[in-house]
Amino acid sequence: MGWWLKYCGLWTIMTIIVSLVQAEDPYRFFDWRVTYSNIYPLGIPQRGILINGQFPGPEIYSVTNDNLIINVHNDLDEPFLLSWNGVQLRKNSYQDGVYGTTCPIPPGKNYTYAIQVKDQIGSFFYFPSLAFHKAAGAFGGLRVLSRPRIPVPFPEPAGDFTFLIGDWYSHHDHKNLKALLDRGHRLPLPDKVLINGNGVNFSSSLTVDKGKTYRFRISNVGLQHSLNFKIVDHQMKLVEVEGTHTIQSMYSSLDIHVGQSYSVLVTMDQPEKDYSIVVATRFAAKKILVGSTLHYSNSRQSLSSASLSAMGPADELDWSIKQARSIRTNLTASGPRPNPQGSYHYGLINISRTLVLESSAALVKRKQRYAINGVSFVHSDTPLKLADYFNIRGVFKVGSIPDQPRRGGGGGIRLDTAVMGANHREFIEIVFQNREKIVQSYHLDGYSFWVVGMDRGTWSHASRREYNLMDAVSRSTTQVYPESWTAVYVALDNVGMWNLRSEFWARQYLGQQLYLRVYSSVHSLRDEYLVPKNALLCGRASNMQRPIITP
């Protein structure tokens, strides 16, 4: 804990810290109050979690490198945290807002997040990370705009809209869902789909003008289902995926898996009438759809539920895999900096390590659990990042989860606080192997990774011959199709404790996650910040002393 005194003088530290918060990068301040209240996504009341009285929560507008100061007041009767899906939080995993890094905000208390959208652009979202709060709301959009002098590879659209889509439980309170999981049961399937908090067909509309082009930022903030997004009779030009400008291909519909975000341009080039915006479940036992209205400003024709008949493609895996492979990085476009996105040649870097992560499901002591490589994650009594920082022994063990699944499978599932160690600046390959018959979705906090390959069957070293080593899309959430694999490359340039999890929320809650401890032996503020001065301390870190820095 005292390394900063050993390696730096206090005055040096003050100089560094002041340089981190100079006015060159603007600040945006938010004051949010989290409450229970009735919401009406299906026209009847149910208890939801609101932020400043809003469901979904307020959208965050920011610009590359902005500092976001977000004061969150918890007026619930239980602890609460927010996490920032896709925001990399450079050198600052303390602010990640998951239990492995951040102490929960107690009821009646507040915590101020201080995060920077450093060297990022694009479309993201935030969500509540504890318990099953995500099934009650408290999620919202987060967009990061390019700085004024950085060229964007398309003209300014006439409008810029956020669509938060997701499956939804209309008959189950989030506490009841959590209680079912705690008792070891599987959850029933979600029974509705929402668009921006609304699940009543064609009760919401968006007005547009003929001939103009609009941007749609679409995020799947749901709990389980992959969703297909379609605007009937309109083509969508894909321009950005989770912070990466893409090759601008045209699509009639898009499969958007849990935790993913897409940004498309749509030109209003059809006859002036109303059209359906349709979101439908994919690869699900039951097809669920919801419709909203795209209203041309001079239209006099309304829509009805019958308009939902013009839906997305059938549940064809090959169609979806082909679409996923077609999403590639625009190598000539600028990202958050003026240099082209393709200037980092990931395909020429030697892999230092390969992780093969395989999911499984089983009963442990007659209760449902999920695992990665045979280890089902259980939380410790202290956030892992704080235990690591304060050198508190016995909270976790690095290497408590293996790099590869057991040969031949089997062996059951064991419970442990799964932490995998990795060295700063390693370049690693992660293979997500899915032997189950469902679509899965994985997210890695703190990073974007290159999705270099995906296919049916079992991954092998020979699979690398099919990798895209030129223009693979860089993103933070990837799907893994049933009985298939997905491979990604990751440059470990962000020191910290980072959550790698299933975005299937019941699976995450029941153990399908781990933490990647990216470690540097240098102990420098160049690589990682100190624990925040206002950090909440809990568990075995409750009585620890924060660093005191004075001139």
Side-chain angles (χ1 to χ4, degrees):
M1 185 176 73
W3 59 261
W4 62 90
L5 296 177
K6 180 176 179 181
Y7 287 91
C8 308
L10 287 175
W11 181 254
T12 302
I13 291 175
M14 281 302 296
T15 302
I16 294 171
I17 290 177
V18 169
S19 71
L20 294 173
V21 297
Q22 290 281 307
E24 176 182 330
D25 297 323
Y27 282 73
R28 297 177 187 265
F29 295 90
F30 305 84
D31 195 63
W32 287 356
R33 191 164 294 278
V34 180
T35 57
Y36 290 126
S37 185
N38 280 338
I39 56 176
Y40 299 82
L42 301 172
I44 57 175
Q46 65 180 110
R47 184 168 68 162
I49 299 177
L50 286 71
I51 298 178
N52 288 358
Q54 298 179 45
F55 169 75
E59 183 155 23
I60 294 177
Y61 291 79
S62 63
V63 176
T64 300
N65 294 345
D66 278 358
N67 294 282
L68 309 180
I69 311 301
I70 306 168
N71 186 20
V72 178
H73 305 264
N74 179 15
D75 287 351
L76 307 182
D77 59 1
E78 55 187 326
F80 183 81
L81 280 176
L82 286 173
S83 191
W84 321 96
N85 212 71
V87 179
Q88 293 177 8
L89 302 167
R90 307 295 301 177
K91 306 188 289 186
N92 197 10
S93 63
Y94 304 102
Q95 305 282 9
D96 197 21
V98 290
Y99 185 73
T101 63
T102 313
C103 287
I105 307 169
K109 303 295 183 181
N110 72 296
Y111 175 69
T112 302
Y113 292 89
I115 64 179
Q116 185 180 27
V117 286
K118 179 70 174 172
D119 290 338
Q120 287 192 265
I121 54 106
S123 309
F124 310 100
F125 64 92
Y126 62 86
F127 68 96
S129 65
L130 296 184
F132 230 67
H133 293 161
K134 197 179 182 188
F139 47 75
L142 194 164
R143 62 178 68 177
V144 185
L145 307 177
S146 298
R147 289 173 289 177
R149 293 188 178 88
I150 305 299
V152 175
F154 49 85
E156 183 76 17
D160 193 333
F161 308 115
T162 293
F163 277 68
L164 302 178
I165 61 177
D167 49 13
W168 186 258
Y169 288 92
S170 59
H171 304 297
H172 297 83
D173 181 88
H174 72 281
K175 290 189 176 183
N176 294 333
L177 294 171
K178 177 180 178 295
L180 282 173
L181 294 174
D182 289 340
R183 290 197 296 269
H185 300 302
R186 295 190 180 199
L187 295 184
L189 292 175
D191 46 20
K192 296 294 179 181
V193 173
L194 305 186
I195 299 175
N196 289 338
N198 196 324
V200 178
N201 284 327
F202 303 113
S203 60
S204 62
S205 65
L206 180 67
T207 299
V208 295
D209 294 329
K210 184 176 174 62
K212 293 185 178 179
T213 297
Y214 297 84
R215 183 172 184 173
F216 292 72
R217 301 173 188 260
I218 314 151
S219 294
N220 186 338
V221 299
L223 301 166
Q224 173 178 338
H225 280 121
S226 300
L227 299 172
N228 183 267
F229 183 91
K230 178 184 181 71
I231 303 176
V232 173
D233 292 339
H234 291 73
Q235 290 288 302
M236 299 181 288
K237 180 187 289 185
L238 185 65
V239 293
E240 177 254 327
V241 171
E242 295 164 27
T244 298
H245 287 132
T246 62
I247 290 177
Q248 296 179 9
S249 300
M250 304 297 291
Y251 299 93
S252 59
S253 70
L254 277 170
D255 280 353
I256 304 175
H257 304 276
V258 185
Q260 293 185 336
S261 297
Y262 288 78
S263 187
V264 299
L265 297 179
V266 182
T267 298
M268 304 305 151
D269 54 5
Q270 297 299 304
E272 293 177 277
K273 62 178 185 177
D274 288 1
Y275 296 87
S276 301
I277 301 172
V278 182
V279 180
T281 54
R282 294 278 275 149
F283 316 111
K286 177 183 177 183
K287 181 75 77 175
I288 308 170
L289 309 99
V290 66
S292 184
T293 302
L294 182 76
H295 173 72
Y296 276 61
S297 55
N298 290 328
S299 169
R300 301 191 183 281
Q301 178 182 342
S302 61
L303 291 170
S304 67
S305 295
S307 304
L308 288 178
S309 59
M311 284 312 83
D315 286 348
E316 297 177 3
L317 277 178
D318 289 338
W319 183 95
S320 190
I321 293 172
K322 182 179 179 181
Q323 181 181 89
R325 288 174 174 162
S326 73
I327 298 170
R328 297 177 290 152
T329 296
N330 183 340
L331 297 179
T332 61
S334 298
R337 296 185 179 187
N339 50 304
Q341 294 179 133
S343 59
Y344 187 93
H345 300 291
Y346 69 91
L348 302 177
I349 301 173
N350 292 328
I351 299 167
S352 57
R353 182 179 173 192
T354 296
L355 310 177
V356 179
L357 305 182
E358 184 176 304
S359 65
S360 58
L363 296 180
V364 178
K365 297 180 180 179
R366 296 195 226 177
K367 291 187 175 183
Q368 182 66 54
R369 296 295 300 186
Y370 300 95
I372 297 175
N373 290 358
V375 182
S376 185
F377 185 89
V378 290
H379 287 291
S380 63
D381 60 4
T382 305
L384 308 178
K385 183 58 195 171
L386 294 181
D388 202 19
Y389 181 86
F390 291 115
N391 196 26
I392 302 170
R393 298 184 182 277
V395 174
F396 69 91
K397 180 182 177 182
V398 175
S400 50
I401 179 171
D403 286 12
Q404 313 277 330
R406 285 183 290 267
R407 287 183 179 273
I413 285 176
R414 65 179 173 88
L415 307 182
D416 206 341
T417 304
V419 177
M420 187 175 286
N423 293 321
H424 187 213
R425 304 197 187 285
E426 274 191 294
F427 191 82
I428 68 172
E429 174 186 40
I430 302 177
V431 179
F432 297 103
Q433 181 69 59
N434 182 14
R435 299 188 187 278
E436 302 182 68
K437 298 183 183 298
I438 60 170
V439 178
Q440 303 212 42
S441 184
Y442 285 93
H443 176 85
L444 176 59
D445 284 349
Y447 286 95
S448 289
F449 44 66
W450 291 273
V451 184
V452 294
M454 60 177 63
D455 206 349
R456 294 185 184 233
T458 301
W459 179 88
S460 69
H461 293 284
S463 303
R464 291 174 178 152
R465 291 197 290 265
E466 305 301 322
Y467 282 6
N468 177 357
L469 299 181
M470 179 63 68
D471 59 357
V473 69
S474 177
R475 63 188 315 168
S476 59
T477 307
T478 188
Q479 70 272 35
V480 192
Y481 290 99
E483 299 177 309
S484 302
W485 57 268
T486 296
V488 305
Y489 283 175
V490 193
L492 298 181
D493 58 357
N494 195 11
V495 174
M497 188 76 72
W498 301 108
N499 189 218
L500 189 158
R501 62 179 175 268
S502 169
E503 289 282 13
F504 188 143
W505 211 242
R507 282 178 166 253
Q508 173 273 151
Y509 182 78
L510 292 180
Q512 195 173 322
Q513 62 171 304
L514 60 87
Y515 280 82
L516 186 66
R517 178 186 184 251
V518 181
Y519 176 76
S520 172
S521 60
V522 176
H523 298 310
S524 167
L525 290 172
R526 179 192 62 196
D527 296 331
E528 185 176 27
Y529 298 148
L530 304 177
V531 65
K533 190 168 94 171
N534 69 326
L536 299 172
L537 300 182
C538 57
R540 283 181 260 177
S542 296
N543 297 319
M544 293 294 177
Q545 294 294 315
R546 300 175 182 84
I548 300 174
I549 302 173
T550 57

